[in-house]
């Protein structure tokens, strides 16, 4: 289905980027890919309503009559409620911003949250916070939906029956008092990794009062291996932080350092070191060796996909080449010659950039590899230059797996009389062999604090609804020790309690408020008299001054790590377990925004899949969508297969966080549960797995074939140092002639430039756009039918061999074409052009012909086939941006360049009698981007950032040859100059 | 064979064909007239309020400035309605016993809201900004009418889109110096036809008529 009348500037050749394995197969056989894409096969849904022709006509007639009658009514009266006394600083209609922080085990992410008349609507990063620097990840963006989720736990429950807080105290306090008499011998407190200094102090206080009680921390994605590695290398638990701005060469040993909350800061620094402009002569070079597929691997210049056992051997080889000694027994790790060559070349490059290179290790890697990396960094002279060490973020670092095992043993033995679970979901995510479900049920009185009903609350006597972090006081440490106060944006929506308040009951201080506890904790540590000023400034800035960690100097106590344990031969199929980019460890399984957000590389939605390499799938005669039985040592699960280009062979990936049995209407039963394969001995990877094909098929809702731009030359790549080499502006198919009347833009003209080189595909922009513009979710069936509503999508292309292709990512919002093809086909003038060049969409004029969408070459228009926006649920109404219209059924919508933000700034500027500044307006996607890959502004203002980028040699527009004159344009992906390693892929087209 | 149709059928058919056209056109005219009528637009209809607040008394009689109560009109989209406390700044001193003001005192005692009925209520998909209109010399009177002459408030104009556009297309007919926007009795010194275009130039008034100027 290509357009013969529009020869594209660079026609598709055998080496051109491809989007799916089906496409590249079809290309090899000379066929058309779009004839057999998986998406079509998987999309039987055209309409979820079966309708005969006559019924349809009847419905049309009736709706016309009803519409006619409805048009005769006048606007209903509205009430306007005056304040009793106007609050200070609040002007109705103008949002306020408050600093707070999102707590994570790996360190808090500082946030600024937009509040409209007292309701938080949009999360932004806090520019003052070291982990955020003004950006966030996708999880933080989705936090507002979590806050307003109507399925949140709203009432105190005892064994599922509604109860009250006083009813709870009546049972809980005597149980605590009984423990006090026994010094807490039967009391256990289970929490996720604690990064709140106040909560830590409270726990310490409780343990002092109850000396025989115990506090256990358990987060499934914990630092156990990294901690053991640091202890073995230095004899001290420290965390390594890379300084990308001073780094030329990075080797990532399965470290997905660009993903998740801790990836925000890393992406900012990484992108800065990768930014290619006209004058740039050097770029950070990233080598990645990994088993699964990750966005960090996708961003690498050289990526080596190998299964876990080989990965250890590659690491050992690099270490050996760098002169790191390993103990005698380690020499046995076998390595194929091509992997040896790869390791040698990487080691040479690392060594050649001594003092400017760094080795990073993923938290999932075994302790030995962590120790090895510490030794390598010492050998590379990286310490103090490209890597620094600090205390760990968690308040009390411990071996969590061991502590949980001990707790499970005590539970099994019936020695626990009172178990208090302060958030987390251990029944779901504890290692399988602990049989934690059974053990948990043996505790005498089980009290669980939780935001949602989940597997753990189901088995608890008491479920105390928790407060969301946006509605309660707390504090949290960032990766570098910086402390932020978690400040509520709204009073608790339901009868929730925070961990601080529940723990205060244990300490005999029932009724203590979290605010007083947090404030008192910091007041006690404040030396100077004027605490009030310090407190207020800390709340305002979002960080407590002078609380960060200082660097720790460490000495390598064990320069020769013992790799003997890794040398044990891996037999059979290997597997890796990974947290998921959408559900993380399962905690976000009920978050519809995240579930519907296409996973960065697979583009799957509403599902997880067993990821498998291309050749392994071929050997096992598996294709995407086949259901298989995956089993190891007696445990087995039925899972659908997804063939992932670039995945290591003879190895599969099982994403965690799915298959929840109790996660509300959104998350329950989505995907398969991989936690039964988490073993203490094989936390994140193992071997000896078997796959059995079941002959059943699975329907995925995958967006990678949606919104096809007909495989024209869309994503361009260039080599650093040769940005001028290939002209990126093709000749126009019909010259400059146009049937459109010429329009001159001599005032402010808005445009956007997206840097493909720094975009890492983290999806933060997709969710930010959803949050800012009140974009509805549509559900799995509708996504499968190609009806997802995201205004901004990230296209993912592969280039080169399917076994290890180069990944090219391209965010695609509306292009706001100056010669917009959508506008001329609209019969009702619902899409028009503004004097600044915005392609506007006027919902109230739209009658839903969808001509505009059909005529859009970029496929960026989204149609409300049904009433997707939930107009009924009260709590969801609070989330919506009041500055954006909510769209109803039958209406087209699309990226507006955040017209509400444009108008706010434009009106402000015009009020002052000036034009809006070149860089004054910030769109939601631009603001959230950790890589700062998106720039927006006035292209007619020569001093604006966007105008400067448009003058770069590698600047180009998508499908420019159609003479659409897009306002959204791109900077080509630029590859770093090569080392002598591996022949360069054909990228200098 | 006898004639099937009586000769008068000719006349009847002509009348019904033309009559049908007039009927359809008449129906359309009726619909559009209805849509502009004060029945639908509520223009000129006095709205019942929980307290019979008289703008005429407070503005014309006592000379209170618009901004005393509508505080955010110069800085935000929304002009703001006064809090109960604003009413009580005066009414804790004067008319403290007036039975008419009991709802205000009750709300003040209870720190509760007074639920006024909106007089000027745009549809939710139209975004109007008070501050910009004031900065560009559109007086309160231009949209709200002689509020100082309204014993109880009503909507002076239809607030239909065509009414908005009548000014956006020809702002020179309505613009006044920004210093005069709160003046209820402003009259230009020279004819508006001379002053208007000068002010439009001076204030860089764009008179935007593109959709996203008001719809987002």
């Amino acid at each position: 289905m290509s357009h013969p009348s529009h020869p594209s500037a660079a026609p598709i050749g055998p080496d051109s980027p491809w989007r799916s394995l089906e496409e590249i197969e079809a290309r090899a056989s000379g066929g058309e890919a779009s004839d057999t894409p998986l998406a079509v096969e998987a999309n039987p849904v055209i309409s979820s309503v079966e309708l005969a022709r006559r019924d349809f006509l009847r419905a049309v007639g009736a709706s016309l009559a009803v519409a006619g009658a409805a048009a005769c009514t006048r606007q209903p009266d509205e009430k306007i409620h005056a304040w009793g006394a106007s609050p200070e600083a609040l002007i109705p209609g103008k949002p306020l911003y408050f600093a707070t922080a999102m707590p994570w085990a790996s360190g808090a992410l500082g946030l600024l949250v937009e509040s409209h008349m007292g309701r938080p609507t949009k999360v932004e990063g806090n520019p003052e916070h070291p982990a955020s620097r003004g950006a966030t990840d996708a999880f933080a963006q989705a936090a507002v939906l979590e806050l307003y989720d109507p399925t949140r736990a709203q009432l105190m429950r005892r064994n599922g029956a509604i109860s009250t807080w006083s009813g709870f105290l009546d049972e809980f306090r005597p149980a605590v008092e009984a423990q006090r008499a026994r010094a807490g011998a039967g009391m256990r407190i289970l929490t996720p990794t604690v990064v709140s200094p106040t909560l830590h102090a409270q726990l310490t206080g409780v343990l002092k009062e109850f000396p025989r009680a115990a506090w256990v921390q358990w987060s499934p994605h914990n630092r156990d291996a990294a901690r053991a590695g640091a202890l073995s290398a230095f004899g001290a638990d420290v965390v390594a932080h890379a300084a990308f701005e001073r780094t030329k060469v990075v080797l990532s040993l399965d470290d997905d350092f660009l993903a998740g909350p801790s990836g925000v800061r890393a992406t900012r620094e990484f992108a800065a070191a990768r930014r290619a402009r006209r004058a740039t002569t050097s770029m950070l070079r990233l080598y990645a060796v990994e088993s699964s597929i990750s966005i960090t691997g996708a961003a690498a210049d050289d990526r080596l996909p190998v299964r876990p056992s080989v990965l250890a051997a590659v690491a050992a080889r690099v270490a050996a080449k760098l002169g790191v000694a390993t103990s005698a027994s380690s020499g046995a790790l076998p390595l194929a010659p091509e992997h040896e060559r790869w390791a040698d070349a990487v080691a040479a490059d690392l060594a050649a950039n001594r003092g400017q290179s760094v080795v990073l290790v993923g938290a999932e890697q075994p302790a030995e590899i962590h120790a090895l990396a510490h030794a390598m960094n010492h050998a590379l002279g990286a310490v103090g230059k490209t890597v620094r060490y600090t205390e760990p973020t968690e308040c009390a670092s411990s071996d969590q797996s061991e502590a949980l095992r001990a707790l499970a043993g005590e539970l099994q033995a019936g020695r626990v009389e009172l178990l208090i679970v302060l958030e987390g979901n251990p029944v779901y995510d504890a290692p399988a062999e602990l049989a934690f479900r059974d053990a948990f049920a043996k505790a005498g009185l089980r009290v669980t604090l939780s935001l949602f009903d989940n597997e753990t609350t189901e088995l608890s006597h008491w479920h105390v609804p928790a407060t969301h972090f946006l509605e309660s006081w707390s504090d949290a440490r960032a990766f570098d020790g910086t402390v932020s106060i978690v400040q509520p944006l709204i009073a608790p929506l339901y009868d929730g309690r925070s961990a601080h308040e529940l723990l205060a009951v244990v300490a005999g201080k029932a009724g203590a408020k979290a605010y007083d506890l947090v404030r008192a904790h910091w007041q006690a540590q404040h030396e100077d008299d004027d605490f009030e000023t310090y407190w207020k400034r800390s709340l305002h800035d979002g960080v407590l001054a002078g609380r960060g960690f200082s660097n720790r100097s460490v000495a390598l106590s064990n320069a020769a790590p013992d790799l003997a344990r890794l040398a044990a031969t891996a037999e059979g199929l290997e597997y890796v377990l990974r947290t998921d980019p959408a559900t993380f460890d399962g905690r976000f399984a009920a978050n519809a925004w995240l579930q519907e957000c296409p996973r960065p590389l697979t583009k799957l939605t509403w599902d997880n899949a067993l990821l498998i390499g291309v050749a392994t799938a071929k050997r096992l005669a598996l294709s995407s969508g086949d259901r298989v039985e995956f089993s190891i040592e007696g445990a087995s699960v039925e899972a659908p297969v997804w063939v992932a280009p670039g995945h290591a062979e003879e190895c599969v990936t099982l994403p965690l966080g799915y298959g929840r049995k109790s996660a509300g209407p959104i998350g329950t039963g989505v995907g398969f549960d991989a936690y039964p394969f988490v073993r203490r001995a094989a936390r994140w990877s193992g071997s000896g797995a078997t796959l059995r094909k079941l002959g059943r098929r699975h329907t995925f809702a995958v967006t990678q074939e949606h919104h096809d731009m007909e495989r024209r030359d869309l994503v361009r790549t260039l080599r650093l140092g040769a940005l001028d080499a290939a002209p990126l502006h093709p000749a126009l198919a019909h010259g400059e002639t146009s049937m459109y009347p010429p329009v001159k833009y001599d005032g402010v003209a808005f445009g956007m430039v997206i840097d493909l080189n720094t975009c890492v595909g983290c999806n933060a922009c997709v969710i930010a756009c959803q949050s800012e513009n009140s974009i509805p979710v549509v559900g799995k069936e509708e996504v499968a039918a190609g009806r997802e509503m995201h205004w901004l999508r990230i296209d993912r292309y592969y280039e080169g061999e399917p076994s290890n292709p180069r990944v090219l990512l391209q965010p695609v919002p509306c292009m706001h074409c100056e010669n917009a093809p959508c506008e001329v086909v609209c019969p009702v003038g619902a899409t028009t052009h503004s004097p600044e060049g915005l392609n506007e969409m006027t919902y109230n004029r739209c009658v839903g012909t969808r001509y505009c969408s059909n005529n859009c070459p970029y496929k960026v228009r989204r149609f409300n086939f049904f009433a997707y926006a939930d107009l009924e649920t009260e709590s969801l109404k609070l989330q919506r941006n009041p500055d954006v219209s909510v769209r109803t059924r039958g209406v087209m919508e699309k990226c507006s360049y955040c017209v509400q933000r444009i108008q706010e700034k434009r009106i402000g500027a015009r009020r002052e009698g000036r034009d809006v500044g070149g860089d004054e307006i910030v769109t939601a996607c631009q603001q959230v981007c950790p890589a700062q890959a998106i720039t927006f502004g006035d292209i007619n203002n020569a001093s604006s950032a966007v105008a400067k980028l448009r003058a770069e040699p590698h600047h180009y527009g998508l499908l420019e040859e159609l003479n659409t004159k897009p306002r959204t344009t791109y900077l080509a992906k630029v590859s770093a100059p090569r080392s002598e390693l591996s022949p360069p892929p054909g990228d200098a087209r | 064979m006898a004639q099937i149709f009586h000769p008068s059928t000719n006349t009847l058919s002509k009348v019904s064909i033309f009559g049908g056209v007039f009927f359809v056109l008449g129906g359309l005219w009726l619909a559009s007239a209805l849509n502009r009528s004060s029945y639908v637009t509520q223009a000129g209809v006095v709205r019942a309020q929980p307290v019979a607040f008289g703008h005429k008394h407070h503005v014309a009689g006592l000379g209170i400035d618009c901004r005393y109560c509508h505080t955010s009109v110069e800085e935000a989209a929304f002009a703001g309605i006064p809090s109960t406390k604003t009413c009580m700044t005066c009414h804790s001193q004067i008319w403290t016993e007036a039975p008419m003001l009991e709802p205000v005192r009750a709300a003040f005692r209870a720190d509760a809201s007074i639920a006024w009925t909106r007089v000027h209520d745009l549809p939710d998909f139209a975004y109007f900004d008070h501050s910009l209109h004031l900065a560009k010399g559109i007086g309160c009177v231009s949209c709200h009418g002689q509020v100082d002459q309204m014993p109880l408030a009503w909507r002076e104009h239809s607030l239909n889109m065509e009414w908005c556009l009548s000014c956006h297309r020809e702002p020179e007919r309505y613009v006044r110096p920004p210093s005069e926007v709160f003046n209820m009795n402003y009259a230009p010194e020279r004819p508006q036809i001379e002053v208007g275009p000068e002010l439009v130039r001076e204030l860089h008034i764009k008179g935007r008529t593109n959709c996203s100027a008001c719809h987002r």
Side-chain angles (χ1 to χ4, degrees), chain A residues 891-910:
Chain A
V891 172
M892 190 62 74
E893 58 184 75
K894 53 140 210 125
C895 160
S896 66
Y897 272 170
C898 287
V899 67
Q900 65 280 6
R901 291 184 174 214
I902 293 177
Q903 292 296 22
E904 187 210 335
K905 292 281 190 241
R906 202 189 66 86
I907 287 170
R910 300 273 301 137

Side-chain angles (χ1 to χ4, degrees), chain A residues 961-978:
Chain A
E961 62 272 23
L962 303 180
N963 200 18
T964 52
K965 298 193 179 166
R967 280 282 177 85
T968 306
T969 48
Y970 294 89
L971 296 181
K973 187 162 175 77
V974 177
S975 48
R978 296 272 149 181

Side-chain angles (χ1 to χ4, degrees), chain A residues 77 80 840 903 910-911, chain B residues 47 116 131 204 208 210 212:
Chain A
D77 277 352
I80 186 165
E840 313 167 313
Q903 292 296 22
R910 300 273 301 137
R911 205 163 54 211
Chain B
R47 313 306 287 269
W116 302 95
S131 67
H204 305 285
R208 292 169 70 95
N210 63 300
S212 71

